[in-house]
Amino acid sequence: RTCCRLSSVGRRHRHLRLALALVAAAALVALRWWRDRDTTELERATSYAPADAQRLSWTDWAAVREAVGAVGTDLDGSSSAGEVRRFLDRGFDRDLTSTSALVQSAEVMQAHFGFSPATADWELFSQADDGAVVIVRVPDDTDLDAIADDLERSGFTRPATDPTGGGVWSGGSGLLPEIGADLTPELQYVALDADEHLVLTSDNKAYLQQTVDHLGDGSIPDGMQDVVAASGSPLSAAVYDGPYACSALAMGHADPSAQREADQLVAEAGEVNPVTGFAMSAQPGGDVLVALGFETDDQARTNADTRSVLASGPAPGQGGDFSDRFSVASATADGSVVTLDLVPTDGSYVLSDLSTGPVLFATC
């Protein structure tokens, strides 16, 4: 009887532990729901980015497919390379694909990697001094084990740890040409995270493993977080921290005569301050939204006026006037962030053309 009583107690303890585990799992799901309820997909994606990120390139592939009419049975995992290319061409015509690191590789990925822009939910390309990583979110019903099998068939070496638990699949620069032409070097190493439904890739194995090991542990710089929050739910976007924006978009990229013209235009427009963050994004309605972060609310109010003036006039270093490319529908300061709502003219490619310098209205 003593044995039986102890066995019964043991069973009750096991049942209690199981119940507690289920409660903990439910609490975690509830916590994630509570945390994410007012969070955009872009904000969720940037929460996975390495803390040292200086430049983020965002493509909401699910939204792009919907925008160009490539949804449902029109495009899926069994679609041909030609169908994928036609989809990407339509996205290019709408200026929605320039931020992707995977466009040139999409057709080969569709055939050999088990995921591609044709099937992914979204893509975030993060770049920093120490490395770069592409983070792809795949739909919840995606079989990560099947992607692992595709990687193995393509020649990648399985990680020593769980193949879908964050270990790095090794390919290297020599493997990619054997798989297919035009594959970006960012696909040399791959990691799969089944818990978060993520595929992560990089050309740097150590940086990729570091990103996976610290996934979601850190946060991007405050200035970048501010402009991401102000960008809403864009189809594609370029996001820079302050130092990178002040370098990549600087008028120093223009020739000397354009720089002199820019200096005069800035002097006439009024005070400008360095930005703490910069984002330019393609919005669902077709507008392009520019978000500029500043150190203080006062700076933002001042720069809302000056940046609007600069965005409405000549475009030294780019040629012609900004009004040839877009009209400024509004310029608003909200806290320490200025947003410029730009309405592109027919046939203009505002996001792809103006996400690199020189860009006068982003001057520091």
Side-chain angles (χ1 to χ4, degrees):
R1 289 183 202 158
T2 302
C3 174
C4 294
R5 283 198 299 272
L6 288 174
S7 177
S8 176
V9 170
R11 286 197 298 271
R12 286 198 296 272
H13 284 170
R14 285 196 297 272
H15 292 159
L16 179 59
R17 287 195 298 270
L18 177 59
L20 290 174
L22 292 173
V23 169
L28 179 60
V29 171
L31 177 62
R32 286 179 174 174
W33 174 86
W34 178 261
R35 180 195 64 193
D36 293 344
R37 73 194 192 286
D38 294 324
T39 304
T40 66
E41 284 296 292
L42 174 56
E43 289 175 304
R44 276 191 284 272
T46 58
S47 72
Y48 297 119
D52 63 348
Q54 299 166 309
R55 177 182 181 181
L56 299 173
S57 302
W58 160 257
T59 311
D60 186 338
W61 285 115
V64 171
R65 290 194 295 272
E66 183 175 355
V68 302
V71 295
T73 58
D74 294 335
L75 201 65
D76 57 26
S78 63
S79 297
S80 68
E83 289 170 322
V84 174
R85 176 47 51 193
R86 285 191 289 274
F87 154 60
L88 293 174
D89 287 343
R90 294 202 295 272
F92 175 84
D93 290 341
R94 297 275 296 275
D95 198 21
L96 299 176
T97 64
S98 64
T99 52
S100 171
L102 302 178
V103 167
Q104 71 179 38
S105 309
E107 295 166 67
V108 177
M109 291 174 65
Q110 178 79 356
H112 295 281
F113 283 70
F115 70 98
S116 79
T119 58
D121 280 347
W122 50 255
E123 170 199 339
L124 185 74
F125 183 31
S126 174
Q127 296 171 274
D129 285 339
D130 291 337
V133 61
V134 181
I135 305 173
V136 178
R137 214 284 183 178
V138 295
D140 291 347
D141 60 358
T142 300
D143 186 346
L144 270 292
D145 288 320
I147 292 180
D149 292 341
D150 285 334
L151 291 174
E152 189 166 36
R153 278 192 294 269
S154 295
F156 284 84
T157 302
R158 278 179 174 263
T161 55
D162 181 356
T164 63
V168 173
W169 290 74
S170 296
S173 59
L175 174 63
L176 296 188
E178 296 177 8
I179 298 174
D182 296 326
L183 287 176
T184 172
E186 296 301 327
L187 292 169
Q188 291 182 49
Y189 301 96
V190 181
L192 307 176
D193 189 320
D195 290 339
E196 300 293 335
H197 305 284
L198 297 177
V199 180
L200 302 94
T201 76
S202 180
D203 63 349
N204 183 320
K205 183 177 182 179
Y207 189 80
L208 176 57
Q209 188 65 71
Q210 175 183 311
T211 300
V212 173
D213 290 344
H214 298 282
L215 196 65
D217 290 350
S219 58
I220 58 176
D222 290 345
M224 295 179 79
Q225 291 186 51
D226 291 342
V227 295
V228 163
S231 297
S233 299
L235 281 69
S236 56
V239 182
Y240 306 150
D241 72 1
Y244 186 88
C246 290
S247 172
L249 305 178
M251 289 306 303
H253 295 286
D255 62 41
S257 63
Q259 291 183 44
R260 289 191 294 272
E261 180 185 3
D263 290 342
Q264 182 62 36
L265 291 168
V266 170
E268 293 171 356
E271 183 179 356
V272 296
N273 301 100
V275 298
T276 58
F278 171 91
M280 180 178 287
S281 58
Q283 296 293 310
D287 288 5
V288 171
L289 190 70
V290 175
L292 303 133
F294 296 93
E295 290 289 348
T296 67
D297 296 4
D298 286 343
Q299 286 186 7
R301 285 191 291 270
T302 297
N303 281 263
D305 294 331
T306 54
R307 306 287 174 161
S308 177
V309 170
L310 293 174
S312 302
Q318 294 284 341
D321 291 345
F322 286 120
S323 58
D324 299 330
R325 300 167 173 84
F326 58 79
S327 59
V328 181
S330 65
T332 307
D334 184 1
S336 61
V337 177
V338 171
T339 55
L340 304 175
D341 184 4
L342 313 180
V343 182
T345 58
D346 290 342
S348 62
Y349 291 76
V350 176
L351 178 58
S352 55
D353 284 350
L354 299 182
S355 53
T356 56
V359 180
L360 181 62
F361 60 81
T363 189
C364 290

